[in-house]
Amino acid sequence: MMRLSLKTTLLLAPLAGLLFSTASFADSAAPDSSKLDLIKQGEYLSKASDCEVCHTSPGGTTFAGGLAFKTPFGVIYSSNITPDKTTGIGNWTEQQFSNALKHGIRADGQNLYPAMPYTSYSKLTDADIHAMYAYFMSLPGVNHNPPENEMGFPYNQRLALKGWNLINFHYKPFEEDPGQSAEWNRGKYVATALGHCEECHTPRNLAMGLSDKAYAGAMVDGWEAFNISSDKESGIGNWSHDDLMQYLRTGALPGKATTGGGMADVISHSLRFLTPEDMSALATYIKSVPAQQTSSRNRSGAGQNAQSDITQEVRGMPIDDASPSGAVLFNGNCASCHGTAGQGIGENKYYPSLSQNSVVGSDKPNNLVQVILHGVDRVNGAGEHIVMPGFGENLTDAQIATLTNYVRNQFGNQGEPVDAAAVKVLRDNNVTVIPGYLLIMAGVIGVLILIALVIYIRRRRTLRA
């Protein structure tokens, strides 16, 4: 047996200690696989919940907030939800994080404005909130203060939100329907809790809460969030399960619909990341929601017989640069991609047909005007970047109105013409703010009526006595 001298032992001891401590540090620094799995699950849930779209301003850092929401009560800016301890949620406990999602209560006890969809997130399970909290706390903090909300009195008084909650928000955890399949129940959870689909696709009541016409369609930031109920005329009742899955993953369904605006953002940053199982479940649930018939009819079937060839129509036509016709505008700006007869071009209609297109066939011109103004920018499930340039910088409001009317008449349901003034409103995204004094007057009148009722009831009781 080899023996080590005392001198050698003393020389090797520090080295052994160093190796031991290094190994111990490596063990302690090695990430816990279960925690990594939890963070990964939280990341998936944050995508399914579409957090990035609302909490990231144009050109800003992801989750650092600052996106403006123009509402009838003023402008609300989304908050910083990175774990920065000064400007974000770095000092929030998991319970405070849960209170914000489930009850609309900030860490300081103040109410959140319902631009934050806690009315839907209230259905999230504790397990999912736990995973989401782990994910957000694993991100790098971003020191960024979003702008202050631009809201006048009384809308800037968060105490009033308690009254709004009393009328419009009744906390109720998610409940499965035992009479439905596991897939249907999962789809309901994805739609009503994670995806909060109703927040955009359900019209609002006078108090700006969700009405009872679920998924009947609504106007959001100047865009029409279409009726996605099972009604065959107004909604998507004629779509198959696979149709809906394709649309939700890609934003395009040739012969029926294409998407832009806010829905394109949802697909790019949220829906395309859903697992095939969750996507199928979501489609199963959406296909089952009760039909809601509205004024919008057959928007996907409009213009199916359109055969006009624009090259023949504009041949020999005099050019009026000051006030060009719709045909000339279409030929110069649209025909090269969408075809001279609006039929679409490319494999699987990469440049979509304008006939049998929900944007063109809608009874409202909003979405078509918005697409012409701002274009389309989305990423589909295959990671392909789909881009259509906007023409807002090149065409005047009057020219966009002329082009919109031409496209609708040629390939859509025609409908009421749009004028330059309406285009300007959509271009500026102006939202009329309800004067605060009207809310105050309504509150005073409500109190007076309540007092009058109390006096009336007491007098009736006195007379009977």
Side-chain angles (χ1 to χ4, degrees), residues 3 32 51 54 88 124 173-174 179 249 276-277 310 320 346 354-355 377 401 406 423 428 450 463:
R3 294 189 176 184
D32 183 347
C51 304
C54 290
L124 291 173
F174 179 80
R249 190 170 296 282
E277 295 78 13
I310 194 66
D320 181 358
L354 298 178
S355 60
D377 188 345
Y406 176 83
V423 172
D428 297 339
L450 184 63
L463 291 174

Short mmCIF file of all heavy atoms in Angstrom, two decimals, residues 3 32 51 54 88 124 173-174 179 249 276-277 310 320 346 354-355 377 401 406 423 428 450 463:
data_model
loop_
_atom_site.label_atom_id
_atom_site.label_comp_id
_atom_site.label_asym_id
_atom_site.label_seq_id
_atom_site.Cartn_x
_atom_site.Cartn_y
_atom_site.Cartn_z
N ARG A 3 1.85 4.96 0.81
CA ARG A 3 1.56 5.91 1.87
C ARG A 3 1.96 7.31 1.43
O ARG A 3 2.97 7.49 0.76
CB ARG A 3 2.31 5.54 3.15
CG ARG A 3 1.84 4.24 3.76
CD ARG A 3 2.46 4.06 5.12
NE ARG A 3 1.95 2.87 5.76
CZ ARG A 3 2.27 2.50 7.00
NH1 ARG A 3 3.11 3.25 7.70
NH2 ARG A 3 1.77 1.40 7.53
N ASP A 32 -33.19 22.68 -10.75
CA ASP A 32 -34.12 21.62 -10.37
C ASP A 32 -35.01 21.33 -11.57
O ASP A 32 -35.71 22.22 -12.06
CB ASP A 32 -34.92 22.09 -9.16
CG ASP A 32 -35.87 21.02 -8.65
OD1 ASP A 32 -36.07 20.02 -9.36
OD2 ASP A 32 -36.40 21.19 -7.54
N CYS A 51 -50.66 37.11 -22.74
CA CYS A 51 -50.14 38.19 -21.90
C CYS A 51 -49.23 39.14 -22.67
O CYS A 51 -49.22 40.35 -22.42
CB CYS A 51 -49.37 37.61 -20.71
SG CYS A 51 -50.31 36.45 -19.69
N CYS A 54 -50.77 42.34 -24.79
CA CYS A 54 -51.27 43.51 -24.06
C CYS A 54 -50.20 44.20 -23.21
O CYS A 54 -50.31 45.40 -22.95
CB CYS A 54 -52.45 43.13 -23.18
SG CYS A 54 -53.94 42.71 -24.10
N GLY A 88 -41.96 46.89 -11.69
CA GLY A 88 -42.71 45.72 -12.10
C GLY A 88 -43.35 45.00 -10.93
O GLY A 88 -43.79 45.63 -9.97
N LEU A 124 -59.12 30.84 -13.73
CA LEU A 124 -57.87 30.10 -13.75
C LEU A 124 -57.71 29.25 -12.48
O LEU A 124 -58.08 29.68 -11.39
CB LEU A 124 -56.68 31.06 -13.85
CG LEU A 124 -56.51 31.80 -15.18
CD1 LEU A 124 -55.39 32.84 -15.05
CD2 LEU A 124 -56.20 30.84 -16.32
N PRO A 173 -65.33 30.31 -9.66
CA PRO A 173 -64.26 29.44 -10.21
C PRO A 173 -64.77 28.62 -11.38
O PRO A 173 -65.98 28.40 -11.54
CB PRO A 173 -63.88 28.56 -9.01
CG PRO A 173 -64.40 29.27 -7.81
CD PRO A 173 -65.61 30.02 -8.25
N PHE A 174 -63.84 28.16 -12.18
CA PHE A 174 -64.21 27.32 -13.33
C PHE A 174 -64.83 26.02 -12.86
O PHE A 174 -64.35 25.38 -11.93
CB PHE A 174 -62.98 27.03 -14.18
CG PHE A 174 -63.26 26.16 -15.38
CD1 PHE A 174 -63.83 26.69 -16.52
CD2 PHE A 174 -62.98 24.80 -15.34
CE1 PHE A 174 -64.10 25.89 -17.62
CE2 PHE A 174 -63.24 23.99 -16.43
CZ PHE A 174 -63.81 24.54 -17.58
N GLY A 179 -71.81 16.65 -18.04
CA GLY A 179 -72.52 16.11 -19.19
C GLY A 179 -71.76 16.22 -20.49
O GLY A 179 -72.23 15.76 -21.53
N ARG A 249 -54.86 28.52 -36.06
CA ARG A 249 -53.42 28.31 -36.07
C ARG A 249 -52.72 29.17 -37.10
O ARG A 249 -51.55 29.53 -36.93
CB ARG A 249 -53.09 26.83 -36.32
CG ARG A 249 -51.62 26.51 -36.10
CD ARG A 249 -51.35 25.03 -36.12
NE ARG A 249 -52.00 24.32 -35.03
CZ ARG A 249 -51.58 24.29 -33.78
NH1 ARG A 249 -50.50 24.98 -33.44
NH2 ARG A 249 -52.22 23.63 -32.85
N PRO A 276 -51.64 20.61 -30.14
CA PRO A 276 -52.74 20.11 -30.98
C PRO A 276 -53.96 19.71 -30.16
O PRO A 276 -55.10 19.91 -30.59
CB PRO A 276 -52.11 18.89 -31.69
CG PRO A 276 -50.65 19.19 -31.71
CD PRO A 276 -50.37 19.92 -30.43
N GLU A 277 -53.72 19.18 -28.96
CA GLU A 277 -54.84 18.77 -28.11
C GLU A 277 -55.65 19.97 -27.64
O GLU A 277 -56.90 19.95 -27.67
CB GLU A 277 -54.33 17.98 -26.90
CG GLU A 277 -53.67 16.65 -27.23
CD GLU A 277 -52.25 16.78 -27.75
OE1 GLU A 277 -51.66 17.89 -27.63
OE2 GLU A 277 -51.72 15.78 -28.27
N ILE A 310 -59.92 43.38 -63.89
CA ILE A 310 -59.66 44.80 -63.74
C ILE A 310 -58.86 45.37 -64.91
O ILE A 310 -59.00 46.54 -65.28
CB ILE A 310 -58.93 45.07 -62.40
CG1 ILE A 310 -58.96 46.58 -62.07
CG2 ILE A 310 -57.50 44.58 -62.45
CD1 ILE A 310 -60.33 47.09 -61.80
N ASP A 320 -57.04 60.18 -63.42
CA ASP A 320 -57.29 61.41 -62.67
C ASP A 320 -56.53 61.29 -61.35
O ASP A 320 -57.00 60.66 -60.40
CB ASP A 320 -58.80 61.57 -62.43
CG ASP A 320 -59.14 62.85 -61.67
OD1 ASP A 320 -58.20 63.59 -61.31
OD2 ASP A 320 -60.33 63.11 -61.45
N GLY A 346 -51.23 32.26 -55.62
CA GLY A 346 -50.28 31.46 -54.87
C GLY A 346 -50.87 30.19 -54.31
O GLY A 346 -52.09 29.99 -54.27
N LEU A 354 -60.38 37.91 -52.67
CA LEU A 354 -61.19 38.96 -52.06
C LEU A 354 -62.67 38.59 -52.04
O LEU A 354 -63.44 39.17 -51.28
CB LEU A 354 -60.98 40.28 -52.80
CG LEU A 354 -59.54 40.80 -52.74
CD1 LEU A 354 -59.41 42.10 -53.53
CD2 LEU A 354 -59.08 41.01 -51.30
N SER A 355 -63.07 37.66 -52.89
CA SER A 355 -64.42 37.11 -52.79
C SER A 355 -64.39 35.96 -51.79
O SER A 355 -63.33 35.38 -51.54
CB SER A 355 -64.92 36.62 -54.15
OG SER A 355 -64.08 35.61 -54.65
N ASP A 377 -49.97 41.89 -40.55
CA ASP A 377 -48.67 41.43 -40.06
C ASP A 377 -48.92 40.34 -39.03
O ASP A 377 -49.35 40.62 -37.91
CB ASP A 377 -47.89 42.59 -39.43
CG ASP A 377 -46.45 42.23 -39.08
OD1 ASP A 377 -46.14 41.03 -39.07
OD2 ASP A 377 -45.65 43.14 -38.83
N ALA A 401 -61.48 55.50 -48.97
CA ALA A 401 -62.93 55.30 -49.00
C ALA A 401 -63.37 54.81 -50.38
O ALA A 401 -64.18 53.89 -50.50
CB ALA A 401 -63.63 56.61 -48.64
N TYR A 406 -65.19 50.28 -53.75
CA TYR A 406 -65.02 49.50 -54.98
C TYR A 406 -64.86 48.02 -54.65
O TYR A 406 -65.53 47.16 -55.25
CB TYR A 406 -63.80 50.00 -55.76
CG TYR A 406 -63.52 49.16 -56.98
CD1 TYR A 406 -64.21 49.38 -58.18
CD2 TYR A 406 -62.57 48.14 -56.94
CE1 TYR A 406 -63.97 48.58 -59.30
CE2 TYR A 406 -62.32 47.34 -58.05
CZ TYR A 406 -63.02 47.58 -59.22
OH TYR A 406 -62.78 46.78 -60.33
N VAL A 423 -63.24 57.10 -42.60
CA VAL A 423 -61.88 56.59 -42.70
C VAL A 423 -60.97 57.33 -41.74
O VAL A 423 -60.12 56.73 -41.07
CB VAL A 423 -61.36 56.70 -44.15
CG1 VAL A 423 -59.88 56.34 -44.21
CG2 VAL A 423 -62.16 55.81 -45.08
N ASP A 428 -57.34 57.64 -37.14
CA ASP A 428 -56.90 58.28 -35.89
C ASP A 428 -57.21 57.44 -34.66
O ASP A 428 -56.71 57.73 -33.57
CB ASP A 428 -57.57 59.64 -35.74
CG ASP A 428 -57.19 60.62 -36.85
OD1 ASP A 428 -56.14 60.40 -37.48
OD2 ASP A 428 -57.95 61.59 -37.08
N LEU A 450 -83.42 56.09 -5.26
CA LEU A 450 -83.38 55.16 -4.13
C LEU A 450 -83.97 55.79 -2.88
O LEU A 450 -84.75 55.15 -2.15
CB LEU A 450 -81.93 54.74 -3.88
CG LEU A 450 -81.70 53.69 -2.78
CD1 LEU A 450 -82.38 52.38 -3.15
CD2 LEU A 450 -80.21 53.45 -2.57
N LEU A 463 -99.16 54.48 6.63
CA LEU A 463 -100.58 54.56 6.33
C LEU A 463 -101.31 53.27 6.69
O LEU A 463 -102.43 53.29 7.16
CB LEU A 463 -100.79 54.90 4.85
CG LEU A 463 -100.39 56.31 4.41
CD1 LEU A 463 -100.51 56.46 2.90
CD2 LEU A 463 -101.29 57.36 5.10
#
